[in-house]
Amino acid sequence: QVQLVESGGGSVQPGGSLRLSCAASGSTFSISVISWYRQTPGKQRELVADITSGGSTLYADSVKGRFSISRDNAKTTVYLQMNSLKPEDTAVYYCAQKTPGGSVYWGQGTQVTVSS
């Protein structure tokens, strides 16, 4: 059974930084793609970044150069370092694990608020 727990959200001023963590349980972590998504009220959930088992990364254009995704397979944890935060980054951030078999698991989400 895969469980994902996000942490690290909070409130920050524009230009600030936060680091989100996604701690996973289960045996398939190291062979799975792990993604960060975000969602604001009334909008669809959007992909922010993902990282493959081999460490390849993909970013949404809106966060390129500001966000960085990384993974620690020994700790079964994925991180999202968010720098130069903007008010439009305000959202609930979710991590998702996509196994090679095609299953997708979601965490419960963590709120990020960027406001002066």
Side-chain angles (χ1 to χ4, degrees):
Q1 182 71 15
V2 174
Q3 289 187 326
L4 303 170
V5 179
E6 301 98 333
S7 61
S11 296
V12 64
Q13 292 186 339
S17 298
L18 285 172
R19 188 176 81 154
L20 305 184
S21 298
C22 172
S25 63
S27 60
T28 58
F29 177 87
S30 64
I31 58 174
S32 297
V33 175
I34 309 296
S35 305
W36 284 99
Y37 286 78
R38 65 187 181 187
Q39 188 171 25
T40 54
K43 292 189 177 181
Q44 286 190 330
R45 198 169 291 189
E46 64 171 353
L47 178 67
V48 175
D50 64 30
I51 185 165
T52 68
S53 58
S56 296
T57 58
L58 176 74
Y59 297 94
D61 287 344
S62 59
V63 306
K64 281 181 182 176
R66 300 188 297 122
F67 290 12
S68 178
I69 188 171
S70 61
R71 66 191 296 161
D72 185 334
N73 287 338
K75 295 182 179 179
T76 61
T77 300
V78 169
Y79 305 98
L80 185 69
Q81 178 66 43
M82 306 187 295
N83 299 326
S84 302
L85 282 161
K86 304 175 181 180
E88 51 263 44
D89 294 318
T90 295
V92 178
Y93 284 71
Y94 299 89
C95 66
Q97 179 175 335
K98 307 169 192 176
T99 69
S103 299
V104 181
Y105 302 90
W106 293 90
Q108 82 289 349
T110 186
Q111 176 71 45
V112 171
T113 302
V114 185
S115 174
S116 55

